[in-house]
Amino acid sequence: MKDAYEALVEHYRDIKRLTSIQATLEWDQQTKLPPQGNDYRAEQMTLLAGMIHQLKTDHRIDDWLLAVESSIGEDPPSSDAVANVRELRRQYDRNRRLPEALVKEIARCAATSHPIWIQAHHDDDFKSFQPCLEQMFKLKRQEAEALGYADCRYDALLDEYEPGAKTAEVSEVLARLKQELVPLVQQIAASKVSPPIEILSRRFPIDRQEQFAKFASTSIGFDYNRGRLDETHHPFCTELGPHDIRITTRYDENYFNTAFFGVLHEAGHGLYEQGLRTDQFGLPTGSYCSLGVHESQSRLWENIVGRSLEFWKLMFPQAQSHFSSLSGATAEQFFQAVNDVRPSLIRVEADEATYNLHIIIRFELEQAILNGDLSIADLPEAWNEQYHQNLGIKPDTDRNGVLQDIHWSAGLIGYFSTYSLGNLYSCQFFSAAEQEIGALPPRFEKNEFRILLDWLREHVFAVGAGRTSRELLYQVTGQSIDHRPLIQYLRHKLLPLYGL
């Protein structure tokens, strides 16, 4: 077993070295690449995708796995080797079902679509992006068919991001969540209280925004000796190595939330990546569990921590020292402003109460497209109608509607529901942490974020992908996925703010 396992480990570490190079090129494409460089970048990305797929489907993997699996019973079920072999078997069997030509074509389509999406967004021109989207959904249908599925086509794609999850189960929990969110939003909308959101639209010089965002993200634990912050069109976090975690944001000189909460969000992702086990880098036990769990960390630090009153009692004096425009305002007023609830068009700037309605819309639309029930040509109209039905507003432009997200251009179809799953997980993890540690917000006011981060590192990060998200959630909280902790959290924070 030892020789086979060592060969398996080294092979997957080689794969990780190549995927790190791939991630570096993707990071560069979204932050630094000159416009004329994209065609050649697409060639690079296509070549790399093929090389990586060849390594992932190497027939020797099956030989090594069979050799290890025959003697794995000698190790305890909780060992790294057992967890790694179990997950690597799942990945190998999945990858073997995908034709290399299809993998390369999806990579090529994603690389060539990226600049077209950027220009279409800038020009508010959906038709220029429509052919890219049609091609991408066509390729992802082919991927789903190649992978196979028991119940519905969407299951095959969802499994890539949330292993083991089923569309029917996700639909059920999101339906329960929506059933309670809609009346909560309506209740808040009927309140006569108006948070002082004018505070957020004063002048915030971009260089000061970057300084303050770095100060806050460092305070919660993001290590800039192992990471960096850059500007991009659509914020993201990426891991380029065990000690190289890149986060990005975008700036608006006349609106505070865009960059600051974007940085806190991506820093939450970064804390997860920086907290994974470096001795297991390239292996499942040194990788993130699922994108839902990954999103739980970004939403936890952005919202549960970053939009708490105690956080702003600590941070507001620093904010005032960075921005003269905040003179005369109070931490309490700022807390009210950053927790304003109202239907809005842009997902990444949506408040906590309405955010999941944005996700549900995307989740339902991409299923309809994937199943052939909705054409790409009719997508903008369907998008606008869903916003009208669910949020009571209609996008004024496609830029503020169907063109606002980068995900579909990158082939991330089956991905969106993980944002809502992350919101649900975040509240369940946070509740479990408080049950063990005690009330956490009073510690935030004292700049004591490390106790929460250490708890997450021990209970969530250290497990890596050695468990499915369902298994990890039950292991940490003793519960299955549940929408009620999120609803309780929202009601506890928001209703008093609105005098309810």
Side-chain angles (χ1 to χ4, degrees), residues 268-288:
H269 283 302
L271 290 173
Y272 190 9
E273 292 289 348
Q274 290 181 344
L276 294 171
R277 294 171 56 190
T278 56
D279 66 306
Q280 294 291 301
F281 188 72
L283 302 172
T285 48
S287 306
Y288 64 85

Side-chain angles (χ1 to χ4, degrees), residues 186-211:
Q186 291 173 343
Q187 185 180 5
I188 291 172
S191 168
K192 298 186 183 301
V193 175
S194 297
I197 59 173
E198 169 275 329
I199 294 174
L200 304 174
S201 300
R202 298 177 182 178
R203 184 172 179 272
F204 301 98
I206 289 174
D207 60 336
R208 297 294 185 89
Q209 288 192 56
E210 181 180 359
Q211 292 167 16

Side-chain angles (χ1 to χ4, degrees), residues 7-66:
L8 192 67
V9 166
E10 189 54 35
H11 185 81
Y12 272 91
R13 284 187 166 147
D14 279 345
I15 292 174
K16 189 61 178 178
R17 292 177 184 110
L18 272 181
T19 58
S20 296
I21 294 169
Q22 185 182 50
T24 303
L25 291 178
E26 290 171 346
W27 170 85
D28 177 73
Q29 182 184 40
Q30 296 191 46
T31 57
K32 306 294 183 183
L33 185 70
Q36 292 300 313
N38 197 77
D39 287 347
Y40 189 65
R41 180 56 46 85
E43 293 180 24
Q44 294 172 312
M45 298 302 291
T46 303
L47 175 65
L48 265 176
M51 293 170 63
I52 291 167
H53 187 69
Q54 288 172 14
L55 285 175
K56 285 182 175 180
T57 56
D58 190 321
H59 68 87
R60 292 177 301 169
I61 295 176
D62 192 40
D63 296 336
W64 293 325
L65 284 170
L66 287 171

Side-chain angles (χ1 to χ4, degrees), residues 151-359:
D151 299 318
C152 70
R153 184 180 285 157
Y154 196 83
D155 281 349
L157 303 184
L158 175 63
D159 186 68
E160 179 178 354
Y161 308 111
E162 201 68 19
K166 298 298 182 185
T167 307
E169 296 169 349
V170 175
S171 297
E172 184 179 351
V173 73
L174 293 187
R176 292 197 298 268
L177 178 61
K178 180 180 176 180
Q179 190 173 21
E180 295 204 49
L181 277 178
V182 171
L184 175 61
V185 172
Q186 291 173 343
Q187 185 180 5
I188 291 172
S191 168
K192 298 186 183 301
V193 175
S194 297
I197 59 173
E198 169 275 329
I199 294 174
L200 304 174
S201 300
R202 298 177 182 178
R203 184 172 179 272
F204 301 98
I206 289 174
D207 60 336
R208 297 294 185 89
Q209 288 192 56
E210 181 180 359
Q211 292 167 16
F212 181 55
K214 279 189 169 182
F215 172 81
S217 52
T218 300
S219 297
I220 65 172
F222 187 77
D223 183 358
Y224 281 95
N225 290 316
R226 300 174 60 204
R228 58 177 289 130
L229 171 65
D230 291 278
E231 187 173 0
T232 191
H233 294 280
H234 192 104
F236 65 96
C237 169
T238 190
E239 162 265 298
L240 309 185
H243 303 290
D244 186 357
I245 311 301
R246 311 287 177 95
I247 63 174
T248 63
T249 195
R250 58 185 177 190
Y251 298 95
D252 184 337
E253 193 170 51
N254 298 305
Y255 188 60
F256 177 85
N257 287 10
T258 299
F260 182 81
F261 287 106
V263 170
L264 276 195
H265 181 97
E266 302 307 336
H269 283 302
L271 290 173
Y272 190 9
E273 292 289 348
Q274 290 181 344
L276 294 171
R277 294 171 56 190
T278 56
D279 66 306
Q280 294 291 301
F281 188 72
L283 302 172
T285 48
S287 306
Y288 64 85
C289 175
S290 75
L291 283 175
V293 174
H294 222 312
E295 192 64 21
S296 77
Q297 299 310 296
S298 59
R299 300 296 283 178
L300 186 154
W301 291 100
E302 175 195 358
N303 292 325
I304 299 178
V305 176
R307 295 183 194 266
S308 68
L309 176 59
E310 292 80 3
F311 179 86
W312 285 107
K313 284 183 176 179
L314 170 70
M315 290 290 172
F316 198 64
Q318 283 290 334
Q320 288 180 309
S321 72
H322 281 80
F323 309 112
S324 59
S325 59
L326 293 179
S327 176
T330 67
E332 289 74 14
Q333 289 174 326
F334 205 77
F335 165 67
Q336 286 184 303
V338 299
N339 285 288
D340 176 56
V341 174
R342 69 185 65 209
S344 60
L345 296 172
I346 306 300
R347 174 186 65 84
V348 295
E349 295 174 2
D351 61 84
E352 291 180 88
T354 62
Y355 180 89
N356 291 293
L357 299 176
H358 291 256
I359 298 305

